[in-house]
């Protein structure tokens, strides 16, 4: 019974995480639009076209040209 409760609680957390992430909406197609939207909503935002994409390429992730971060 305890094992079932653990598995069920883990599954519920995973489902809630998926729903939460899906409700945020899709990312903007252009990095400049994403930065503008973040700044418009009161966040501090920055776009990186050099360091993080280069690090991701070293790790084997292809096709990343720009990374937008906001806090």
């Amino acid at each position: 019974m305890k094992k079932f409760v653990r598995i069920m609680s883990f599954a519920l957390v995973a489902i809630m995480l998926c729903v939460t992430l899906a409700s945020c909406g899709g990312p903007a197609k252009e990095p400049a639009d994403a930065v503008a939207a973040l700044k418009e909503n009161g966040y501090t935002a920055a776009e990186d076209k050099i360091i993080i994409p280069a690090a991701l390429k070293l790790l084997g992730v292809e096709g990343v040209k720009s990374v937008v971060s906001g806090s």
Side-chain angles (χ1 to χ4, degrees):
M1 185 68 180
K2 288 182 183 180
K3 190 174 184 179
F4 175 75
V5 171
R6 284 185 194 162
I7 292 171
M8 185 58 102
S9 63
F10 178 74
L12 286 173
V13 168
I15 290 170
M16 287 187 288
L17 177 64
C18 289
V19 169
T20 302
L21 291 175
S23 68
C24 293
K29 298 292 181 192
E30 295 295 322
D33 294 341
V35 170
L38 286 169
K39 287 183 178 181
E40 184 178 297
N41 288 312
Y43 292 93
T44 302
E47 179 183 4
D48 182 14
K49 294 182 180 180
I50 300 170
I51 298 171
I52 296 174
L56 290 172
K57 190 170 185 175
L58 288 174
L59 293 173
V61 179
E62 297 294 328
V64 177
K65 297 178 183 173
S66 179
V67 175
V68 175
S69 301
S71 61

